[in-house]
């Protein structure tokens, strides 16, 4: 079984500032993937970033980076230079590798609000 | 950029009725999934589908649910006799497989069972 914990139900950040959204996980799989998704108020689930547990470097996708600390089982999302359009719910998720990769286990999410 | 397309965006149905939710995955995707999100709750895995058969399903995916990909493009989720507790946002998702492990979701279908 896999478990994701997002301890921040809500976060606030001023436009142009960086923000870190926390995520810790618990998994029995020796190899796994970590995902972050953005869900705006319109409801769609937007893929942001992926990190494999054996990847040597932290993943980056534009303004998004994943601060992966394997020993601490944490996979925090860092958003640099926040924009008003970043206001949304953010979900961390994990999955085993291989054939079960697509079975994601989600956290409860963090509601991010970016203010001017 | 290619997208996973879901129709309808909203579906309202009476309890006990059958509903079919439709998804058109990205063309080069090989693995397909359905997830659901009950209002205020976590996103939950329902089923995975590969090579025209179910590869894994959760305890939520009981006999009332079925999936198929009849024509090689549309991927459907059928709920045979809807219950009030089936009200949720249903997401279709897909991935290429192989070294690319990114999972892409559709925009969802909001199902309301009255």
């Amino acid at each position: 079984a896999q478990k994701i914990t997002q301890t921040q139900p809500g976060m606030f950040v001023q436009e142009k500032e960086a923000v870190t959204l926390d995520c810790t996980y618990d998994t029995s799989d020796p190899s796994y993937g970590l995902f972050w998704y953005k869900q705006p108020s319109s409801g769609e689930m937007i893929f942001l970033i992926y990190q494999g547990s054996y990847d040597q470097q932290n993943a980056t996708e534009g303004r998004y980076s994943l601060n992966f600390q394997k020993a601490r089982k944490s996979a925090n999302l860092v958003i640099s230079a926040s924009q008003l359009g970043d206001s949304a719910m953010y979900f961390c998720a994990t999955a085993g590798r291989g054939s079960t990769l697509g079975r994601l286990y989600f956290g409860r999410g963090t509601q991010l609000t970016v203010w001017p | 950029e290619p997208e996973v397309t879901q129709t309808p965006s909203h579906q309202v149905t009476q309890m006990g009725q059958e509903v079919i939710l439709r998804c058109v995955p990205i063309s080069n995707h090989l693995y397909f999934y359905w997830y659901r999100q009950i209002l205020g709750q976590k996103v939950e895995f329902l089923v995975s589908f590969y090579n025209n058969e179910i590869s894994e399903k959760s305890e939520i995916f009981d006999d009332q649910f079925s999936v198929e990909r009849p024509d090689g493009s549309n991927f459907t989720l059928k709920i045979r006799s809807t219950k009030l507790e089936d009200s949720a946002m249903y997401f279709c998702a897909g991935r290429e497989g192989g070294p690319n492990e990114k999972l892409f979701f559709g925009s969802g279908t909001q199902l309301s069972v009255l």
Side-chain angles (χ1 to χ4, degrees):
Chain A
Q2 321 224 10
K3 183 180 178 183
I4 288 282
T5 302
Q6 295 181 253
T7 57
Q8 307 153 314
M11 287 286 286
F12 293 85
V13 66
Q14 189 169 23
E15 199 178 8
K16 301 180 185 175
E17 297 294 310
V19 63
T20 298
L21 307 183
D22 294 342
C23 173
T24 58
Y25 60 90
D26 189 11
T27 177
S28 54
D29 287 311
S31 180
Y32 49 90
L34 294 154
F35 301 76
W36 276 93
Y37 288 89
K38 171 185 178 181
Q39 187 177 43
S41 57
S42 49
E44 68 267 33
M45 196 72 74
I46 301 168
F47 169 83
L48 293 179
I49 197 166
Y50 169 80
Q51 175 89 42
S53 61
Y54 281 91
D55 292 340
Q56 295 296 316
Q57 293 188 327
N58 286 346
T60 60
E61 293 271 1
R63 294 186 298 111
Y64 304 106
S65 60
L66 201 151
N67 183 0
F68 180 48
Q69 299 187 46
K70 192 172 182 179
R72 297 181 61 186
K73 293 190 173 182
S74 77
N76 298 339
L77 176 71
V78 180
I79 305 174
S80 63
S82 298
Q83 301 172 356
L84 296 178
D86 294 334
S87 293
M89 184 70 89
Y90 288 79
F91 291 98
C92 180
T94 185
R97 301 286 287 274
S99 62
T100 62
L101 178 69
R103 181 170 186 167
L104 268 59
Y105 294 83
F106 283 81
R108 292 194 172 278
T110 295
Q111 179 68 49
L112 176 67
T113 302
V114 181
W115 48 285
Chain B
E1 186 165 336
E3 293 182 340
V4 178
T5 305
Q6 287 188 244
T7 56
S9 55
H10 292 85
Q11 173 94 45
V12 180
T13 190
Q14 294 288 329
M15 189 171 57
Q17 296 296 303
E18 174 183 287
V19 295
I20 297 176
L21 309 182
R22 303 181 192 278
C23 170
V24 178
I26 296 171
S27 59
N28 63 342
H29 283 186
L30 300 177
Y31 296 82
F32 311 105
Y33 308 85
W34 285 100
Y35 283 78
R36 79 173 185 188
Q37 184 182 28
I38 295 172
L39 185 64
Q41 298 189 23
K42 290 184 182 183
V43 179
E44 301 172 291
F45 168 82
L46 293 178
V47 66
S48 58
F49 191 85
Y50 170 70
N51 201 25
N52 278 323
E53 61 183 28
I54 291 173
S55 44
E56 191 176 5
K57 58 184 180 179
S58 71
E59 57 279 3
I60 302 168
F61 195 88
D62 61 22
D63 292 344
Q64 292 299 310
F65 291 88
S66 62
V67 290
E68 62 176 4
R69 195 164 181 245
D71 56 7
S73 61
N74 292 292
F75 177 49
T76 62
L77 174 69
K78 182 193 289 187
I79 308 175
R80 206 158 284 120
S81 177
T82 51
K83 303 188 283 283
L84 295 176
E85 53 265 37
D86 293 328
S87 294
M89 178 76 94
Y90 288 81
F91 291 103
C92 173
R95 65 182 180 98
E96 288 181 15
N100 189 341
E101 300 181 341
K102 297 177 183 178
L103 186 68
F104 292 93
F105 283 74
S107 54
T109 293
Q110 181 63 56
L111 177 65
S112 298
V113 182
L114 305 179

